[in-house]
């Protein structure tokens, strides 16, 4: 699919079924369009740890990300600590990575 608009301006759509699961080439292409995200060992998720000066900033980020996740109807797994938050994106509906995960990763980068 041609990348018509920047990932952080794109919107998620429901992507149910294995036909929406991204292949390795497209995953690599999209990884290059986001900042500092790593592919999980099983290849079914991308992760990144966002670091903050204190708990107040960490929770502010978590709240903003939760708002975006609800707006996009696409939700991350989060590991929240005093000065950092690990974000993990994967698309349960296709048992792997979809375009939605990279759209939301780009939105998380913009929030941070
Ligand atoms: N979030 N990460 C993730 N993966 C999904 O497959 C997913 C979701 N949030 C909502 C959702 N699926 C369904 O409720 C559909 O509405 C998209």
């Amino acid at each position: 699919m041609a990348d018509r608009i920047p990932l952080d301006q794109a919107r998620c759509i429901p992507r149910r079924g294995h036909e929406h699961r991204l292949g390795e080439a497209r995953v690599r292409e999209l990884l290059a369009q986001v900042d500092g995200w790593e592919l999980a060992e099983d290849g079914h998720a991308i992760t990144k740890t966002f670091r903050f000066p204190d708990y107040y900033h960490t929770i502010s980020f978590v709240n903003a990300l939760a708002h975006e996740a609800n707006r996009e109807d696409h939700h991350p797994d989060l590991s929240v600590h005093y000065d950092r938050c690990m974000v993990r994106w994967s698309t349960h509906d296709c048992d792997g990575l979809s375009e939605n995960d990279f759209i939301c990763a780009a939105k998380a980068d913009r929030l941070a």
Side-chain angles (χ1 to χ4, degrees):
M1 178 178 77
D3 296 334
R4 293 180 300 281
I5 58 173
L7 281 174
D8 68 346
Q9 294 173 30
R11 298 300 307 272
C12 293
I13 58 172
R15 288 184 159 107
R16 292 190 190 88
H18 286 188
E19 66 272 22
H20 292 287
R21 193 161 53 184
L22 299 178
E24 194 169 325
R26 182 61 175 159
V27 168
R28 296 276 173 227
E29 199 175 293
L30 289 167
L31 270 176
Q33 295 180 34
V34 290
D35 178 28
W37 290 81
E38 293 183 3
L39 186 61
E41 276 187 23
D42 64 4
H44 289 186
I46 52 174
T47 64
K48 179 174 179 178
T49 298
F50 293 84
R51 298 186 183 281
F52 301 96
D54 53 35
Y55 191 72
Y56 176 85
H57 287 86
T58 301
I59 295 303
S60 298
F61 170 76
V62 168
N63 284 324
L65 186 60
H67 175 76
E68 279 296 306
N70 285 324
R71 181 171 179 265
E72 297 298 329
D73 194 22
H74 195 70
H75 304 88
D77 296 324
L78 301 175
S79 177
V80 182
H81 308 264
Y82 171 76
D83 59 354
R84 65 194 186 283
C85 176
M86 194 279 282
V87 181
R88 183 182 189 275
W89 292 107
S90 182
T91 302
H92 318 309
D93 291 344
C94 75
D95 296 322
L97 283 167
S98 75
E99 302 274 343
N100 288 347
D101 298 307
F102 290 92
I103 290 168
C104 288
K107 291 178 186 293
D109 285 342
R110 189 187 60 204
L111 286 177

